[in-house]
Amino acid sequence: MITGSLVALITPMTAEGAVDTNKLDDLIEFHIKEGTHGIVAVGTTGESSTLTPEEHANVIRQVVTRVDGRVPVIAGTGANATHEAIDLTRRAKDAGADACLLVTPYYNKPTQEGLYQHFKAIAEAVEIPQILYNVPGRTACDMQNDTVLRLSGVKNIVGIKDATGDLERGEALIKALPENFAVYSGDDPTAISLILLGGKGNISVTANVAPNAVANAAEAALAGNSDHAHSIDATIASLHSTLFLESNPIPVKWACSQLGLCAEGIRLPLTPLSEPHHSAVRQAMIEAGVLSL
């Protein structure tokens, strides 16, 4: 089972919006050095919705190659068309990813039965461990706990990224699911609390900027050390909020550029972080100890 701090990795881009493969290699080395436990490539934070299928597959392949087995690689392969998700998942398997992360279909708003059939079809088509991803705030599609429980019976569906931020709902899901089915937080502000309730890790945006702190907090929470985990998490609490002052990944890409990890490149329809938010994000980075005055 994959556990711990799993960075929802940005896809570094040049100022013109081209994927920056050199910076991608550098980012991977940065995260391994800082103690990140796993890398999630081409998820929401990786701008999956604006990469071409070829770019999508190439980024996954590059991450797998560069990581070279040092940490697990989870590939974002979700789509709102089932056939497209199957194709991306096959490409990720061929590239050597350890698992795939599949977001609920966005925009077309399927029923709960539609969600079940969608994920079941992908799992049956591609034999690779698959993690569901529920983020209703972005997709306008909310996969209910009962649907997750149904899908937990599908052989290679092994977990879910719960980005609802609803701890009561997350706890109920953890208690109802089989022990070998992993629940990961997809909500940085509540991630430590969810891990202490039985979650297996955090698929984190904040880890792009403060990877060591996020990893240490996750380790403490997984060990059941609540006070230590919350103490570490308190040092990065401002990042958890300011990195969402505009739509993710706008603030986190700007923050990473301030650390010299990438250029400010981002693809339309997303635009660079608005200047009025610069000071707030910069101050949060200073409070977190990742940027000097």
Side-chain angles (χ1 to χ4, degrees):
M1 184 181 290
I2 300 171
T3 62
S5 173
L6 313 173
V7 63
L9 192 70
I10 62 168
T11 298
M13 295 177 182
T14 66
E16 296 74 32
V19 175
D20 191 333
T21 56
N22 291 329
K23 285 296 187 182
L24 181 57
D25 279 346
D26 292 345
L27 275 176
I28 292 163
E29 295 303 327
F30 168 70
H31 280 287
I32 291 174
K33 179 183 177 183
E34 291 292 311
T36 294
H37 303 115
I39 293 176
V40 178
V42 207
T44 303
T45 311
E47 294 177 80
S48 56
S49 58
T50 55
L51 295 184
T52 68
E54 290 71 26
E55 288 174 324
H56 196 122
N58 287 341
V59 170
I60 294 168
R61 189 176 301 107
Q62 181 178 344
V63 172
V64 169
T65 300
R66 188 72 183 192
V67 166
D68 194 25
R70 290 176 288 176
V71 295
V73 175
I74 301 169
T77 59
N80 63 345
T82 306
H83 67 85
E84 182 180 351
I86 289 172
D87 177 63
L88 290 171
T89 303
R90 282 182 176 142
R91 292 184 188 218
K93 180 186 177 182
D94 292 344
D98 295 288
C100 289
L101 178 69
L102 293 124
V103 71
T104 53
Y106 44 88
Y107 186 74
N108 45 19
K109 300 175 74 171
T111 64
Q112 295 301 304
E113 181 62 25
L115 288 172
Y116 175 77
Q117 295 296 339
H118 170 80
F119 288 113
K120 180 173 177 285
I122 301 164
E124 290 176 345
V126 192
E127 193 170 346
I128 186 173
Q130 296 177 24
I131 299 167
L132 310 171
Y133 176 15
N134 190 35
V135 56
R138 290 192 76 114
T139 61
C141 175
D142 188 1
M143 182 161 49
Q144 298 299 312
N145 282 7
D146 286 348
T147 304
V148 179
L149 294 176
R150 287 182 71 194
L151 287 164
S152 70
V154 179
K155 183 180 67 171
N156 51 326
I157 297 179
V158 300
I160 181 170
K161 175 184 176 182
D162 177 2
T164 64
D166 184 336
L167 289 173
E168 184 176 347
R169 176 176 170 173
E171 182 179 20
L173 186 59
I174 290 167
K175 288 179 177 178
L177 285 164
E179 288 187 8
N180 63 347
F181 193 93
V183 175
Y184 304 98
S185 174
D187 179 65
D188 278 304
T190 60
I192 294 305
S193 295
L194 188 68
I195 295 172
L196 289 165
L197 290 170
K200 300 304 180 184
N202 178 19
I203 298 178
S204 172
V205 174
T206 302
N208 283 280
V209 181
N212 188 254
V214 176
N216 289 341
E219 287 178 4
L222 285 166
N225 192 336
S226 176
D227 290 345
H228 187 45
H230 281 300
S231 175
I232 298 169
D233 194 50
T235 68
I236 53 177
S238 293
L239 280 176
H240 295 336
S241 58
T242 57
L243 291 180
F244 292 89
L245 285 173
E246 291 183 349
S247 296
N248 179 47
I250 291 172
V252 73
K253 292 199 88 171
W254 184 86
C256 287
S257 76
Q258 299 306 293
L259 297 175
L261 297 172
C262 63
E264 291 188 41
I266 196 164
R267 280 196 185 167
L268 288 170
L270 300 182
T271 52
L273 183 68
S274 301
E275 196 280 332
H277 293 313
H278 289 189
S279 59
V281 177
R282 186 179 290 111
Q283 182 59 36
M285 294 171 71
I286 292 169
E287 292 175 9
V290 298
L291 188 69
S292 301
L293 284 169

